[in-house]
Structures are given as C-alpha cells and as structure tokens.
Amino acid sequence: MRVGDTLPPLEIEITRTLIVAGAIASRDYQDVHHDAELARQKGSPDIFMNILTTNGLVGRYITDRFGPRSVLRRVAIRLGAPNYPGDTMVLTGTVEKVEGDTATVRVVGVNGIGRHVTGTVTVSVPGAGAASGASGASGVDGAEGIEGAGRAEGAAVEEAGSRP
C-alpha cells in the first residue's frame, strides 16, 4: 500500500431496517431515527441514519479491505448530507499516509444528495510492515496487511487499542 492508492468502493443500500437497527444497536432512541411522522414534524422528510451507525459502516469498510487482523486505531468523521431510506451510500478511500504497519486512509461516503461522511481512519495490520511484496490479493480475499489491501482494486472521533 502506498500513499495515493485507492480502495475499492463499497455500496451500501440505506434501508429503514438499517437505520432503525443501527440506532437501536447504538442505544440512540431519538425519534428522528425510527419514527417517520415525528421526523417530519421536526422538519426532516423521513428518518435518517445516526452518526454511530455511519461510524460503524466506515470501520467495516476499512476492516473489510485490510483483512481480519486489522485494528482500527482512530476514526475521525464528520457528517454532511443525511442518509435517508431508499438511497445508496458509496464509500471510497484513499491512502494518505503509511508508516510501517499503519496506514491513514481518507474516507468519503456519498449518497444521492451529496457527501454523507468525510474523515480519516488510522488502521494497523500487525506484521504488515514486513509484508512488502505480499500477494496481490485484496483484504477481502484474505490477504492480510497494508501491501495486500492496496492491490485490490458535527464530528465523531473514536480511538481504539484493539478490535472486539
């Protein structure tokens, strides 16, 4: 993986179930995330995704691409256009920095009305610093490491020392 490399995009269908389940799973019971009528009364055309669900999807995007040994070290995101049911969000990533077995990836998620999320994720893959010349497979296909992943072709900050 080198600075400037891009990760393959990930398309996520935004369904009512995804929005409501994400809100419940993150214990966010605000009505704008599960009750369409109350959301409309508050000026929104429909329910919309909460930041914690978006944060989880961004994390999934990175770990899917860097493999099962990857560890998220830092996730810093900012929301923009809401994710409403019936839309599709496409996540893309560009490597901004690589130091040993750690990479910083700029992530952007776009939906039908604009940029839903922008931010950076710092991810480590133990042993990847020595993975120079790793197989050309993607993290999704089982290659582990910074090298293998790159060949595949309001704000929230989360710091993590290990992956659950």
Side-chain angles (χ1 to χ4, degrees), residues 58-75 99 101-105 120-128 143-146 149 158-164:
V58 167
R60 169 193 161 198
Y61 174 62
I62 296 298
T63 58
D64 280 359
R65 269 112 190 106
F66 284 87
R69 293 180 44 213
S70 60
V71 178
L72 300 178
R73 297 294 179 188
R74 184 171 192 270
V75 177
E99 291 181 349
D101 65 358
T102 301
T104 300
V105 181
T120 57
V121 178
T122 303
V123 58
S124 293
V125 182
E144 298 172 357
I146 303 295
E158 178 182 326
E159 302 254 2
S162 65
R163 188 172 177 204

Side-chain angles (χ1 to χ4, degrees), residues 4 9 14 25 34 39-40 45 47 49 55 63 65 69 78 82 84-85 101 112 114 130 133 135-136 142 150 154:
I14 307 302
H34 64 84
R40 281 189 280 279
I47 63 172
M49 185 175 285
N55 198 58
T63 58
R65 269 112 190 106
R69 293 180 44 213
R78 180 170 303 277
Y84 294 117
D101 65 358
S135 76

